[in-house]
């Protein structure tokens, strides 16, 4: 069985914790379903933005069921760097990495989610369920 991963936004950690049991969709939060395809967002953001991974802070666990599910807050530095990636750079990265169209769509959707989080002054989170 694979790992389920969704990235989502919430206006507080309390609201983000509501995603623990069933994911952000069940909690009616805006999200991008990555189905384990994009487990480590900070590494991807470093590649796309051309920044060093050490420039980003660490994700912070905000909820954990002790078994299979957890919610982490994505470091604000990672969210900011992702939100700043423009479409031309995404296309260039996709061509360099020979990405499939669905991969480009997911990266774009996660980037747009980061932009929304910044615009609304919200946190960006990762829900993970193994």
């Amino acid at each position: 069985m694979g790992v389920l991963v969704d990235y989502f936004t919430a206006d507080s950690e309390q609201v983000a914790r509501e995603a623990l049991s069933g994911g952000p969709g069940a909690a009616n939060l805006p999200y991008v379903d990555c189905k384990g395809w994009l487990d480590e967002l900070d590494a991807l953001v470093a590649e796309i933005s051309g920044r060093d991974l050490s420039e980003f802070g660490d994700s912070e666990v905000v909820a954990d069921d002790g078994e299979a599910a957890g919610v982490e807050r994505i470091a604000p530095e990672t969210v900011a760097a992702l939100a700043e990636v423009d479409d031309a750079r995404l296309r260039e990265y996709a061509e360099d990495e020979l990405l499939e169209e669905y991969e480009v769509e997911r990266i774009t959707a996660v980037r747009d989610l980061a932009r929304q989080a910044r615009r609304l002054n919200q946190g960006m989170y990762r829900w993970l369920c193994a």
Side-chain angles (χ1 to χ4, degrees), residues 1-22:
M1 183 174 179
V3 176
L4 302 176
V5 175
D6 292 340
Y7 289 94
F8 68 99
T9 61
D11 58 9
S12 70
E13 288 187 2
Q14 180 179 353
V15 171
R17 286 184 192 100
E18 294 174 14
L20 181 62
S21 64

Side-chain angles (χ1 to χ4, degrees), residues 2 31 34 42 44 62 64 92 97 99 104-105 108 110 116 118:
Y31 74 100
C34 289
D42 52 354
L44 174 70
V62 297
D64 187 339
E92 179 184 341
E97 297 298 319
L99 298 181
V104 176
E105 289 172 3
T108 302
V110 173
Q116 176 182 334
R118 292 202 50 188

Side-chain angles (χ1 to χ4, degrees), residues 13-124:
E13 288 187 2
Q14 180 179 353
V15 171
R17 286 184 192 100
E18 294 174 14
L20 181 62
S21 64
N28 293 318
L29 296 167
Y31 74 100
V32 176
D33 180 346
C34 289
K35 293 190 184 351
W37 174 80
L38 183 55
D39 293 342
E40 299 300 328
L41 185 62
D42 52 354
L44 174 70
V45 174
E47 282 183 32
I48 292 175
S49 68
R51 294 174 59 182
D52 190 87
L53 187 58
S54 66
E55 295 180 44
F56 305 131
D58 294 327
S59 296
E60 178 182 322
V61 175
V62 297
D64 187 339
D65 71 1
E67 294 181 23
V71 173
E72 296 178 345
R73 182 169 196 199
I74 305 300
E77 300 89 353
T78 304
V79 177
L82 178 58
E84 293 168 2
V85 174
D86 63 23
D87 289 339
R89 176 60 189 131
L90 279 178
R91 282 191 300 276
E92 179 184 341
Y93 178 78
E95 289 174 14
D96 290 347
E97 297 298 319
L98 303 174
L99 298 181
E100 299 288 333
E101 187 59 34
Y102 80 92
E103 294 172 306
V104 176
E105 289 172 3
R106 282 198 180 150
I107 292 172
T108 302
V110 173
R111 188 271 319 264
D112 292 347
L113 192 69
R115 288 179 172 179
Q116 176 182 334
R118 292 202 50 188
R119 185 177 63 254
L120 299 175
N121 198 29
Q122 296 183 335
M124 187 167 166

